[in-house]
Each structure stands twice: as C-alpha cells, then as structure tokens.
Amino acid sequence: MSGGGRPRLAVFKLASCDGCQLQLLDAEEALLDLAGAVDIVHFPEATSRSEAGPYDVTLIEGSVSTPSQLDEVREIRERSRFLVTMGACATSGGVQALRNWADAGELARAVYPSPELLRSLETSTAVSDHVRVDLELPGCPVDRGQLLGALAALLAGTVPRLSSAPVCAECKRRGYACVMVVRGEPCLGPVTRTGCGALCPAFGRACYGCFGPSRTPNVASLLDRFAVLGLTRDEAARKLRLITSWSPEFRAALREEVPAR
Amino acid sequence: MVPLASCRKAGEPATFLREHRERKSEGTEPVRFMDRPAFGRLLAELARRGYAVIGPTLRGGAIVLDHVEGLEDLPRGLGSRHGPGVYSLLRRDDDRLFGQAPGPDSAKRFLFPPRERLATVSRPGGRLTVDRAADGEPPRYAFVGLRACDLQAVLIQDRVFLGGPYRDEPYEARRDGAFFLAANCTDPGQTCFCTSTGTGPWCRAGFDVAVTEIDGGMVAEVGTAEGREVLDAAGAREASPDEIAASDRAVRQAADRIDRRPDLRGIGEVLYRNAGNPVWDEIAERCLACGNCTAVCPTCFCHDVVDTASITGQEAERSREWASCFSEEFTHVAGGSPIRASGASRYRQWLTHKFASWRDQFGVPGCVGCGRCVTWCPAGIDILEVLAAIRARDGERDHDERHRTAVR
Ligand code: SF4
Ligand code: SF4
Ligand code: SF4
C-alpha cells in the first residue's frame, strides 16, 4: 500500500443494480472496521467525498455497457494500483449481457419510444474484457464474506484466495441433499463456481449459476444430463443463458448448443 | 507416504479390519433383544451418558445423519431406492427404523468434519498469540444405525489419520470418545456391493452394539463392555433362539439380494497397468469433476488448509475443509501449475487411489462397497462399470501423451 497513512479505497459503479455495493454498506460492524483500516476516498453511494486518485484498492461494480463507461473504466484503471471487479455484471457482463445474444438495436426499438437518444454499446461486457483486472469477485450479488475476506487479505499484504471448485463442494460440505439426484432438478451447481455458500440448494432450489463458471467446467456433459432429466436441448441451454451467459466458458458452451446469431 | 508396519502387499485379498481398541467381550456374551420401548430407552441412556446422539433422519428428501433426540426422529417406515445419479424414498408397509440403505452421510461428517478450525491467531497489544485448541472440548458422539461398510470406513480412516507417525489429534479426540451402535443391513441399496469388498452386510468389528431389526424389535450383539452396560440400562433381555435365527436369516437374505458383484481380483494391478487406457478419456467426457463422489465417500480424506484474516489485522484463523482430487485447483503445486490438468487424469487418480495405491499406502483398499459415489454422482457415472470397462479393455493405449504420466 502507498507510503504513510491508511490505504486509499475507491468504489465505482458502471451498469448494475447497486446490489454489490450494498453488500459492503450492509456489512454493519465490519464496515466500521473497514472504515478504520482504509481511507474511503470515493464511494458515491456512501459519501459525498470524492477524490480523484490515485487509489490503492479500487472496487468496480457493473458491466461496461455504454461508450462513456468504456472511457471511465480505462481512466479508473490508470488511477488504481489494485483493481477488483465485483459481481456478475463486472466479471461477466451480467444479466444485461443477454442482449449480446440478440440484435441490441432491435431490442432498443422495441423498448424505448425514442431509441435514438440512447448511447449504448452493442454488448454488455466484463471489465476485464477492456482493462487488466487484478481480482474478480463473482456472484449476483457478491458474497459479503468473500468480499471482506479479499479486502482483509489485501490489507494483510497477501493475495486473496478464492476457490474455483464447483458449488457441489460447498453443498456437500454443508450436508444439503443434492436436488439433482433426489428431485431431478436441473442444477448448475456442478459447473458453477463456489462462493455463495450453496445458497439456493440450502432452500431446495437448483443453482442458477450466478457465480459463473467453475474452473474447466464440463458444461456439455451437464446439458446432456439435463436432457436425461427430461429437458429439451433448448430448455437446457436457457438454464445457462441467464446471469453469467457471457462468461467465456458458458458462452462457448452455448455457442455449441445454439449456433451464433 | 510412509508405509505402515502392518501394510500388506498390493494384490492380497482384503480382510476385515479390526478396531484399534481391544474388544472387551468374550465369545460367551449372550445375544440380547429389545422391543421398541427398550430401544427408545437405549437412545435416552446414550444421551444420559453425555453423548451427542447421531442417527439417520429425514431432511431435504434424503436420509441424512444428524442429531436425533429419540425414536420419533428416526426414519420409521421409510425405504430407499438407489441408482446411478438417482435416489428416492418410499413408504414401506411396516414401521422399521433402519429399513433403508444409508443416504449420502457417513461418520466422516462428524469424525472428520467438512470444515474445522485448527488454530486462531491474535495479537493483543502487538504480541502474537497462537491458540491451537480453538474449538474447545471435542464432542462425544454416539452413532446410531451405522452400517457394516460405514464401520469399516471408520477403521480405514483410523489408518489414514492415526496410522502413521503423525497422529491427527482433533480426529483422535473425537474418535476415542465415540460410541457405535451399528445396524446390520436388512434392506441393501441397489448400488451396494459390500459382499464383493468383504465389508458387509454383517457388522463384524468396530461397534459397541450391533443390532438387527426383525419383526417386533431388535436383536443386539454386544461388542464392548460399555455396549453391555447400555443394553442393561435399556432393559434388553436375552434373545430367544428363534429371534436370533430370524436376525441371521434377515441379514443372509439381504446379502443374497445384493446383485452387484464386481470382479475385483487383482484390480489394483489392472489399474496400474492401464494408466494410458482410453477409457479414462471417455469417462472424462461425462465426468463433471464436481467431486460429489469424493465428498460422499466415507473414506476419502483429502482436505485443504485455508487461512483467513480479519479486516483489522488483529485476528487470523487457520481451518481445514473437505477438498477433492477432482478439482483442478487441488492439483496445483508450488509454481502454480496443475499436475493433473485433464479431467481424465483426475478421474483416473480417484479410481486408482481407491482400488490400487490406497492399498500401498494403508494396507487395505479405500473402497468399502457402499455405493454412495454411484448414487450421488449427478452424471450417473458408475464406478463398477468403469472398472469393468478397464478390465475388458486391459492393455489398450491411447496416443495422448498428456495421460501418460506415472500414477505411482
Ligand atoms: S469408492 Fe464409492 S462405493 Fe467405494 S467406499 Fe467410496 S463411495 Fe463407497
Ligand atoms: S485423492 Fe481423491 S480419492 Fe483419494 S482420498 Fe483424495 S479425494 Fe479421495
Ligand atoms: S464421477 Fe460423478 S460425482 Fe464424481 S466428479 Fe465425476 S461427475 Fe462428479
């Protein structure tokens, strides 16, 4: 961290719902600890203080969805020593990346009375598609424990370690009965990265992949299994085409299923 | 790995493991009988002795192991159906308590918990303090209704955690305090193959009491002095010859119903010489590398050690958690690259460890034939089919250099 004083932390937002920032704001006591350990110099959702940088640690929420965000993200990178993207939007393009699978212009004309006023990119993409990112925290929203853990590790001067194992690992650790084996539910857990604490299976629901792909996921085999469970190929592919559909791994698997537009 | 003094050579037949403590009872110990109320009293007696009673119970559509307060928590009248990647419960037309095959859990969940704090570190006033016994007094578990394969799995994990020169203290503390009320199987699952691994369905070692459920109650065999005391306290009377005969018949019939009979002769050598077999690649096409098989396997012990720090930098914690040879990150070595990058090499590692190198390491195979890895594989992969395929295609080689790395 930079010499003297406390490390300077900045939080920025691109195209997103603010849910990830809220994970920080809702952190109660841990937020006070954090405010004591770092100097929060830019965080529009929390404070009117805004300093231009440089920042020691920068958190970005949201995807790159407009031309101005593209400029902004490059600028932020230049002013940041350690850049962390948080959430499905910032790490994979988010749910708004569904437009990447369609004709964005056509969608805009269907939704807005004056689409010509929009300044929007054709695609919604991850921050790391445009600038170097030092750490990606997946999830919709990010897991608070994982976010605070990553910040704590950075403050301790170590590299945060995030597991890339699938949700199944955590689901089994917590002793939840497998929804796929017991109830035949099409669950994305086997190809989705752990970090959420197997939240959906905890409530008997199938994982819908909000943490994005685990490392080297075998998506094709899982889609085959969904077919055995009675889903059509299209229904199976739609499970994947949701919050993290534009992650490289899920995108590649979907391309196999549905030839590109 | 340091070989155990008692290690036998690979290829020798599996034999039943004996417990690490002496069995207290003699051959003349009478067989006992408990009706339902007496069995209820037995559970109460275990609780009275300060045990946390762990038994089968219904949760989330499956029979899991959890704390049970009394008879009403046990899965009365429930049966189970098992297949590759499928599991379901069914209503029986009787009110048996142990009339189903085990679900995903085994004693492993308690003796080697999925996540466990190993140490906490703090620095009050700048002085670094390390506290190793972070989780306080070890729990004393009384396991109710574990099956023969599960008992054998405990004895195998004993070799893993206690058999070498370094004893795993947290495991040892929980293990030594535990009481085992085992159940002989009368209703095996469709994925069970303990008759082929020589590990069931009879409980032969590692229990304090072993019961067999028959009409009207349970026939109980005494394993230790404490087991006898507990039966006495429950008011278990001596069993009649008819009751004993009925219990023998029930377990014999169960053994006969187990129709999965893999050919495991020399399987270790078959696996060793087939490290380059294309079957591994074919299975890897289907394998999700999700690690569910290793998580439910009652003998798998691999774990990861994780350090976390607090935001203030005043406290840190070291814990260990279940991990799996199926996850790519688990195969990373110093320098950051994976030693088993392909799914095929990781699948091969799991099966070869279970049936070949485990024996070199610990003197017995790592598989007790419980069938859990088959039932709980979301891709429906059946290890027995994989073993049969390797045997049938013994000697085939693929030309992919990646998979040629030695396995031992
Ligand atoms: S390898 Fe499979 S059948 Fe063998 S003990 Fe493990 S879970 Fe049971
Ligand atoms: S290497 Fe795999 S099979 Fe062997 S103990 Fe570890 S997790 Fe289990
Ligand atoms: S064999 Fe089945 S349970 Fe094991 S990692 Fe592969 S898909 Fe998962």
Side-chain angles (χ1 to χ4, degrees), chain B residues 300-315:
Chain B
C300 270
F301 56 85
C302 284
H303 53 271
D304 212 350
V305 173
V306 183
D307 292 339
T308 51
S310 70
I311 291 272
T312 58
Q314 292 307 302
E315 297 97 34

Side-chain angles (χ1 to χ4, degrees), chain B residues 28 39 46 50 57 69 106-107 125 168 172 213 227 297 320 390:
Chain B
T28 53
F39 190 64
L46 291 172
T57 194
E69 306 262 306
S106 61
D168 189 285
E172 185 168 34
E213 207 170 7
C297 180
R320 69 173 167 195
I390 294 279

Side-chain angles (χ1 to χ4, degrees), chain B residues 286-294 326 347 350 373 376-381:
Chain B
R286 287 174 58 206
C287 175
L288 301 162
C290 60
N292 276 299
C293 47
T294 58
F326 277 94
Y347 189 90
W350 136 259
C373 58
W376 298 97
C377 170
I381 293 172

Side-chain angles (χ1 to χ4, degrees), chain A residues 154-214:
Chain A
L154 286 174
L155 288 169
T158 60
V159 181
R161 183 178 171 275
L162 300 182
S163 172
S164 61
V167 170
C168 300
E170 189 57 24
C171 195
K172 278 287 181 291
R173 283 187 204 114
R174 293 185 183 228
Y176 305 143
C178 177
V179 298
M180 189 137 69
V181 170
V182 173
R183 299 216 313 268
E185 293 274 341
C187 179
L188 287 180
V191 297
T192 300
R193 183 178 185 152
T194 181
C196 62
L199 200 52
C200 295
F203 293 95
R205 307 273 315 248
C207 165
Y208 58 92
C210 83
F211 269 62
S214 56

Side-chain angles (χ1 to χ4, degrees), chain B residues 294 299-302 323-326 330 349-351 353-354 358:
Chain B
T294 58
T299 68
C300 270
F301 56 85
C302 284
S324 170
C325 55
F326 277 94
F330 191 70
Q349 159 64 21
W350 136 259
L351 216 60
H353 193 203
K354 280 281 150 220
W358 199 296

